[in-house]
Amino acid sequence: MWLPPEPLKSIGKKQTRERVAKLRLRLLRQQHELRERDFPVLVVFGGVDGAGKHETVNRLNEWLDPRFLCTLAYGEPTQEEAERPRMWRYWRDLPVRGQIGLVLSGWYSQPLVEYARHRSDDTRFSHQLRQIMDFERMLADDGALIIKFWMHLSARQQHRRLAELAEDPMTLWQIKPRDWEHLNLYDRFVGAAEQLLETTHTRSAPWHAIDGSAEGLRALVAAEILSDALERRLKSAPKSRGRRLPARRGQRLDTVDLSARLERSEYEERLAHGQARLVRLQQTSLHSRRATLLLFEGWDAAGKGGAIRRLIQPLDARLYSLNPVAAPNDEERARHYLWRFWRRLPRAGHLSVFDRSWYGRVLVERVEGFASKAQWQRAYAEINAFEEELVESGIRLLKFWIHISKEEQQARFKSRETNPLKSWKLTDEDWRNRQKWDEYEAAVEDMLAHTHRPDAPWVVVPGNDKRLARVSVLESVCQTMANH
């Protein structure tokens, strides 16, 4: 990818009108067909200030059916956004499958501006670009069509364009003081932009450079590129690509001592001590604005609910959230599987507990066939990248697998059948899942091996003794909050 782009040759008004009319019919047909397909479209706009990004988005809103189009424009992060990982707001706003999203001042804007203004260094800039590439790869692997436009102007053209906007009362509002500041840093911005474009130009998320000085043609050219890309995608179903699995690491289930027991007196003493300590640690976290995210996975009837109840029992309900995770609903199925989890991330200083989690992708969806082999194998790298962003943003992340034996699960199922207070917990699906114990066990082993990280560890809790499991969870949480 090189700058600047080729200058656009002007054409007559009649030819322009004919091309626009033909293009609009094509786009509306494609948009209608897209509604019946299983992928979203993201059109990302970047470029030099004054190069026509907003005007191009306005024109696309005019030419396309606005019912199936959304414009995602971003400014400085709000307090709610600043309290979460940088990519949170972009995940939150992802368009549903069958919809087109136009992105202005999106995920490239902040890294570029910070680097050009000497507020970040080469290492940080490269790291942010890698995170963006991970983000775009996840979306593309899930089927999304991603098209990126870089609208370019020379320094002289940019100065003239800003002056024109400033002189017109109808467009004066578009000019901000920082636009003139950025013009003075033009060479720095263009150098950073070249690095950005070369690094993040990929086959699945390509950049297209457009001459921003051609006011009458830039939107037309962008729309034609969009239409051509849509046509190619609509003619062929998106293909999932498998990826090499990350190296195996982490604890094995057969090393867990399920015979360990805890006497009631010791349990009550350790529980009371741990709960009191947790209350103090949560207050400290609130003042230091460190968020904590705990997720719980485990066998059916392993005791996740009981462990979670003892954990949150002493806490101020205003400072934590409990997120039970069931099968995705229609709104969630219409987006990338991680979307619903990004939306529930904790605020700064708060604690969030997930009863089941994004690991359903490599557990139940794998075993039950709801995800293809390519999809669940790819998910290990996607989940690791997701969790790396959480930890990097300052979130403490701790993951629990509560492990019980097959015999203990059988005994608990039988006990639930005869207990009117617990019989509602037992379903036909629980018995059916039990028949696939070996398949689930293999999936759990792979999950632990491929997603255990020192900064996002798995804690395998022996759960045959409920008292020991509850105390082990509580003490592990306290230790993590105290040491990080």
Side-chain angles (χ1 to χ4, degrees), residues 20 106 110 125 140 151 163 189 219-220 281 293 302 323 371 414-415 463 484:
V20 169
Q110 181 182 343
F125 187 48
M151 318 289 282
F189 266 95
L220 176 59
L281 288 167
L293 193 156
N323 301 279
K414 291 294 185 181
S415 174
H484 297 84

Side-chain angles (χ1 to χ4, degrees), residues 8-24 26-27 45 52 55-57 59-60 63 149 151 210-211 214-228:
L8 293 174
K9 297 180 180 179
S10 61
I11 59 176
K13 292 183 178 180
K14 181 180 178 181
Q15 187 178 357
T16 300
R17 286 196 299 268
E18 290 174 351
R19 282 174 64 178
V20 169
K22 183 178 179 180
L23 176 63
R24 290 187 67 182
R26 188 183 188 211
L27 280 170
F45 290 87
E55 293 86 347
T56 301
V57 168
R59 192 54 57 88
L60 288 174
W63 291 345
F149 293 110
M151 318 289 282
I210 294 179
D211 177 11
E215 296 183 28
L217 284 178
R218 60 196 176 199
L220 176 59
V221 171
E224 288 176 338
I225 293 172
L226 168 61
S227 180
D228 290 344

Side-chain angles (χ1 to χ4, degrees), residues 256-262 462 464-465 468:
V256 180
D257 181 10
L258 294 177
S259 65
R261 294 290 185 270
L262 190 64
N464 274 15
D465 182 75
L468 177 61

Side-chain angles (χ1 to χ4, degrees), residues 136-236:
E136 292 178 345
R137 187 187 68 241
M138 288 185 204
L139 301 184
D141 283 345
D142 194 51
L145 174 62
I146 304 173
I147 304 161
K148 301 180 294 193
F149 293 110
W150 181 266
M151 318 289 282
H152 189 67
L153 292 172
S154 68
R156 180 177 298 178
Q157 289 170 336
Q158 185 183 23
H159 185 277
R160 183 167 59 247
R161 175 62 175 159
L162 293 178
E164 291 171 354
L165 292 172
E167 291 174 1
D168 188 341
M170 298 295 292
T171 58
L172 176 60
W173 63 271
Q174 296 183 33
I175 304 299
K176 306 292 189 296
R178 74 171 192 173
D179 295 333
W180 296 106
E181 295 173 15
H182 292 176
L183 177 60
N184 293 330
L185 294 169
Y186 181 86
D187 290 341
R188 173 79 176 176
F189 266 95
V190 170
E194 288 179 341
Q195 180 180 341
L196 180 152
L197 295 169
E198 291 173 2
T199 301
T200 62
H201 176 79
T202 63
R203 186 174 181 179
S204 59
W207 281 103
H208 302 271
I210 294 179
D211 177 11
S213 67
E215 296 183 28
L217 284 178
R218 60 196 176 199
L220 176 59
V221 171
E224 288 176 338
I225 293 172
L226 168 61
S227 180
D228 290 344
L230 264 172
E231 194 69 23
R232 289 191 297 270
R233 172 57 67 85
L234 291 170
K235 287 181 178 178
S236 61

Side-chain angles (χ1 to χ4, degrees), residues 45-58:
F45 290 87
V48 174
D49 295 331
K53 300 183 290 293
H54 295 82
E55 293 86 347
T56 301
V57 168
N58 290 343

